[in-house]
Amino acid sequence: MNQNRLDKLTRQILAHGVDGIALVPGPNMAYLSGIHSHVSERPIVLFFPADDEPAIVIPSLEAMKARAAGIPEERIFAWSDDEGYTAAFQQACAHLELSDYLLAVEALHMRVLELELLKRYAPGLTTTHAEPILMALRAVKDAGEIATMERAIGIAERAMERLIPQIEVGMTEKQIAAMLTQLQLDEGADAIAFGPIVSGGPNGASPHAVPTERPLQEGDLLVIDWGCLVDGYPSDITRTFAVGAIDAELRHIYETVKLANQQGVLASRPGATGQDVDRAAREVIDDAGYGDYFIHRTGHGLGVEGHEPPYMMEANTDPLAVGNVFTVEPGIYLPGRGGVRIEDNVVITADGHRSLTTMTRELITVG
């Protein structure tokens, strides 16, 4: 385990007035313990008490991960499929004296299953949301985390540079998505961060479109949102392309979004807020008369999760801090015609910001 992170966790637990925190498989467990697992029918819960060593309920077949993380043997409550998990939860709750405990749990990840088991075997247990504690830990990225994300960005950008000359009129969105996935793996990605969004023509008017069998056509705008994972950290980039010659209005909305992206990035500095970044980008689109067609926030944080605080949106008045990493991704979406989104990954620095993405924002023609 990363002792520096554990020390910070303990300070946050105490500062938030809780007795401990419980994590389930996912990004927070991996971030704090190095234990990589997945949610399944076999429940796993990792406990970090404020005043004691970590403990875990875990299937026997994965117990070696807990040992490798440095959890003491007597605090590993392993269970087999034959035995079932209820006795392990009962023993852990008794050993940790969770009755009358105030336990922070992952409201966005913990299932009813784990919560009911904890409350069944720890009478008087009360819970609160762990997200404020966890986000306080994860919001500021260290140099190693930023370098890892830069590697993920570099892989994604190299893959796109290889894809661009291969795109042709008549290819389907699904074909392009499959090619881009393979190219990222070929460039060294551990995995893709999410299924690529590839949306041509009218499909591009949906920000989270799913690739279809629609073939690319001359005159389309082509929106591609893609990214990969390296050592658990993602890249998340969007570029929009012209498929052959496009009409004047589509070119105009492209240039408008490009300027909005630029202004959002320029507004990113220590002490500015997510609201400031959102307003800087949104003002450009509003002034161009397309405000009703910018239908999502300007960006979101990046880290061990692809979407996490800080969010670049109205009403987020928390000041940005050195080490925050987030996207700036304004868009315009015209129903029935198409859309434009340009997304960069930005880190706050002591003297302002640095764009971790380097791929051109100029309109590229494909096909």
Side-chain angles (χ1 to χ4, degrees):
M1 295 193 190
N2 184 315
Q3 191 58 49
N4 182 51
R5 290 179 182 176
L6 293 185
D7 291 343
K8 290 180 179 178
L9 174 64
T10 298
R11 290 196 291 272
Q12 286 295 329
I13 288 172
L14 294 172
H16 282 80
V18 300
D19 298 311
I21 191 168
L23 306 179
V24 293
N28 291 308
M29 182 179 288
Y31 179 81
L32 284 164
S33 71
I35 297 174
H36 293 267
S37 190
H38 63 275
V39 175
S40 74
E41 74 280 7
R42 298 183 174 105
I44 299 172
V45 179
L46 173 61
F47 301 91
F48 289 100
D51 57 357
D52 208 339
E53 294 183 277
I56 194 168
V57 175
I58 193 167
S60 299
L61 62 90
E62 296 200 70
M64 71 285 291
K65 297 178 182 179
R67 297 186 185 100
I71 298 176
E73 192 67 36
E74 68 275 10
R75 296 177 74 81
I76 299 174
F77 300 92
W79 56 272
S80 68
D81 289 340
D82 290 341
E83 297 168 331
Y85 46 74
T86 56
F89 272 88
Q90 185 174 16
Q91 292 161 12
C93 288
H95 186 87
L96 297 173
E97 299 180 343
L98 295 186
S99 296
D100 300 319
Y101 216 76
L102 177 56
L103 183 68
V105 302
E106 295 181 271
L108 298 179
H109 294 280
M110 183 174 278
R111 299 176 297 189
V112 172
L113 171 64
E114 289 87 1
L115 187 60
E116 284 188 343
L117 285 164
L118 293 175
K119 292 198 169 184
R120 180 188 307 168
Y121 295 117
L125 174 72
T126 55
T127 59
T128 188
H129 291 196
E131 279 69 21
I133 295 172
L134 297 168
M135 291 306 106
L137 285 177
R138 288 172 30 196
V140 172
K141 276 62 180 180
D142 62 30
E145 291 176 290
I146 294 167
T148 300
M149 281 189 272
E150 286 191 276
R151 288 168 54 206
I153 290 164
I155 287 169
E157 290 185 328
R158 290 195 300 274
M160 180 56 70
E161 295 290 352
R162 290 176 58 187
L163 176 69
I164 288 169
Q166 300 182 53
I167 298 174
E168 298 178 355
V169 171
M171 282 184 170
T172 69
E173 296 166 350
K174 283 186 175 181
Q175 286 176 315
I176 295 168
M179 292 166 63
L180 182 53
T181 295
Q182 187 60 54
L183 286 168
Q184 290 184 91
L185 296 174
D186 291 346
E187 286 293 332
D190 295 334
I192 56 172
F194 51 89
I197 297 171
V198 179
S199 52
N203 292 345
S206 173
H208 286 170
V210 176
T212 71
E213 296 288 357
R214 180 188 182 276
L216 291 187
Q217 300 174 19
E218 181 87 14
D220 282 349
L221 286 172
L222 173 63
V223 180
I224 303 182
D225 187 337
W226 80 105
C228 66
L229 291 172
V230 172
D231 292 339
Y233 285 83
S235 49
D236 185 1
I237 311 168
T238 307
R239 291 292 185 267
T240 302
F241 305 91
V243 182
I246 60 172
D247 69 37
E249 185 181 22
L250 296 183
R251 185 171 292 275
H252 175 61
I253 66 169
Y254 185 91
E255 293 301 323
T256 300
V257 172
K258 184 177 76 170
L259 180 59
N261 168 277
Q262 179 186 66
Q263 293 304 307
V265 171
L266 288 174
S268 304
R269 63 179 68 90
T273 67
Q275 178 173 269
D276 293 333
V277 175
D278 182 78
R279 287 181 176 180
R282 199 168 299 276
E283 182 179 13
V284 174
I285 294 174
D286 286 344
D287 288 348
Y290 290 97
D292 290 343
Y293 303 100
F294 181 8
I295 54 177
H296 55 72
R297 64 195 174 202
T298 294
H300 56 83
L302 278 178
V304 292
E305 291 182 278
H307 283 203
E308 62 180 47
Y311 296 106
M312 304 302 110
M313 60 184 290
E314 185 69 22
N316 179 11
T317 57
D318 295 333
L320 295 170
V322 174
N324 288 161
V325 179
F326 53 90
T327 68
V328 176
E329 50 179 306
I332 294 175
Y333 307 91
L334 302 182
R337 297 201 61 200
V340 176
R341 184 166 64 256
I342 301 173
E343 176 182 18
D344 288 302
N345 303 164
V346 175
V347 61
I348 297 296
T349 62
D351 57 357
H353 65 268
R354 180 165 65 92
S355 178
L356 303 177
T357 35
T358 61
M359 186 175 175
T360 183
R361 290 94 182 159
E362 298 301 318
L363 183 61
I364 296 173
T365 299
V366 298

